[in-house]
Amino acid sequence: MITGKNYVGNRLAGNGTKTYTTFNPLLNIENENEFVEASTEEINEAVFLASDAYIAYNQKSGKEKAAFLNAIADNILALDDTLIQTYCSESGLPEGRAKGERGRTMGQLRAFAALLDEGSWVDATIDTAIPDRSPAPKPDLRKMLVPLGPVVVFGASNFPLAFSTAGGDTAAALAAGCPVIVKSHPMHAGTGELVASAIIKAAEATGMPNGVFSNLNSSGIEVGVQLVKHPQVKAVGFTGSIVGGRALFDLAAQRDEPIPVFAEMGSINPVIILPEALRNRAVELAKTYAGSITVGSGQFCTNPGLLLGIAGESLTQFVQNLSDEIVRIEPSCMLHPKIVGAYEKNKQTAIDQSGLVVAADYGSEVNVNYARQAVVTVEGKTFLENTKLHHEVFGPFSMVVQCKDAAELQEIINNLEGQLTGTIISDTNEIAKYPQVITALQNRVGRIIFNGVPTGVEVCPSMQHGGPYPASTDSRFTAVGTQSIKRWVRPFSFQNWPDDLLPNELKNANPLAINRSVNGKLNSDAI
Ligand code: NAP
C-alpha cells in the first residue's frame, strides 16, 4: 500500500508540510496518492541512523549482506502487479518495459549478491614482512577495499526501477557496505515507496540494522541539497541532467569535507557512418537508426543524438531514408509533461540555429504528452562553430552532420564533449582506413561499439557506463555492472596488524577462500 510517507530507517514518517502528487502522462491526469516531502528533522534522523547503521552493517559478513540483497529482489517481485501498475501510471511507459526493468533491477541485486557471496571483489593485497631485509626490515602490509559511509542516491526520471530506489547505485552501495538514503524522484514517488517497502522488509527479515536504508520524498531541490551538505554523508550517486549533476557536484566540493559525487549525465552518443557502409547499407541503416532514435521515446542516456558522415550522394540518400523511416514510427508518450516541454523547447532551440535544416519532423497531431520525433542535418563547419548544436536534446531527436572530409570528421570528434558511447558503422576492412578517427573517438567516450546501436546497455562486469565529463563526473568508474561497487569504497591498509584482529579477507588462513594477491602472486591459498 502507498502511504505517501517517507521511510526514515524502518519507520514511516510524514510530519512535513509540503505535499505533492505524481502524474499519469498517458491519461494526462494527476495520480491519487499524495506524498509528503521529508522535513529537516526527518532528513537529519535518516542521516544519523545511516551513520550508526554503518558500523553495525559492516559487522555483517558478505554472505549476510548477499542474503539481504537477494531478499530485496524477492520482495520486489512479490509486489507483483501493484508495482507494475504504479510504475506505468507514473511514467507512461508500457507494461512490457516495466516488467523488463523490474527483471533488470532484480538481476542487478542478485549479481551483487553473487559478488559478495564469492568475496574476492575486495581486492585483498598482502605483502608479508621481511624482518631481516637490509638495510631496513620490511613490515607486513595488507590492503583491501572498505566502504565509504552513508551514500545519498538520487533516483533517475527515466528508469523508475533500474536507476532509482533499488537501482544500480543503491545495489552497488549496499553491496559495498554503505547505508543508503534515497532522494526519491518526484515523478515516480509511488513506485519509489513500494520499492522502499521491499527494501525495509528485507532489512528486517535478514537482521540488518535500522537506518541501513531510508527513502525520502521531495518535489524540489531542498531535500537533495540538505542531504548533500550533511557532514555525515560520505558520497553521492546521481543520474539526470548536466545542470542537476553539476550543481550537486559543486555543492559537494564546497563542503568543509568535500565528498565524491558520481553523476551520470547527458550524452549525445556520436555514431560515425563510414562511406562504404553508407553506400552499401543506407536503407538498412536508416531503419535500424530510426528504431534506435525513437525507442522509449528517446529517453535513454545512450540515445544516438549525433550521426556523422562524409558529405556526398550516399549521405544525402541516407538522410532521406532516415527521414522517411522516422516519421513512419508511431510517436509515444514521454515520462512527464515537464520532460515533453523540455524536449520541445530544446528541439526548437536546435532548429532555430543558423544553418540547420529540418529533414523530418513528425508534423501531425499527436496525443498530449507524446513526443514528435525529428531528424535535422547540418554541415560540419557549422556544427564545429556552434557549440549549442553539441547539447543533448533528451528525446527522439538526432542530428546528421555532413562532414567535408575525413579530416573534418576527426576535428569534430576531437571537439565533442565527453560521451558515454561512440559507434562506428563500417564495412569489412573499411575501418582500417580511419585509424585517426578511431583514436579520436576513443579519447572522447567510455564505450565504443562496432556496427551496432548505442541503445541497450548490457549489465555485466565488463560494461563501461560512464565517460569523460560531462558524460560522468569521474570517467574512471562505471555506473552499470558489478564493478560500479568501486565508487563506494576506498583502499585501506593494515600494517603489522595481529592476525586474529584482521578482517577475514586478510587473515593468514584465508577462511573465506577468496582470491588474493600475496607477495605479487594471485591465489586463494592460506599463508
Ligand atoms: P534533473 O533535473 O537532473 O533532476 C534529477 C534529480 O536531481 C531530481 O530528483 C532533482 O530534484 C534533483 N536536482 C536537480 N537539480 C538539482 C539541484 N540544483 N540541486 C539539488 N537537486 C537537484 O533530471 P530529471 O528531472 O530527472 O529530468 C530532467 C532532464 O534531465 C531531462 O529532460 C533530461 O534532459 C535530463 N535527463 C538525462 C538523463 C540522461 O541519462 N542523460 C537521464 C534523465 C534525465 P527535484 O526533481 O526534486 O527537483
Side-chain angles (χ1 to χ4, degrees), residues 273-283 285 314-315 427 430:
I273 312 182
L274 296 177
E276 280 172 41
L278 205 53
R279 217 169 9 253
N280 298 332
R281 292 190 273 139
V283 174
L285 287 170
S314 306
L315 188 58
D427 262 12
E430 190 183 11

Side-chain angles (χ1 to χ4, degrees), residues 8 20 36 42 45 52 82 96-97 158 187 201 210 216 235 258 286 306 311 314 379 383 385 407 483:
V8 177
Y20 61 100
V36 190
E42 288 161 352
E45 190 186 337
D52 279 354
T82 311
R97 159 75 192 266
N158 58 343
M187 289 180 198
K201 209 167 137 195
N210 184 18
L216 303 181
L306 186 68
S314 306
E379 282 184 7
F383 183 81
E385 285 166 0
Q483 290 192 8

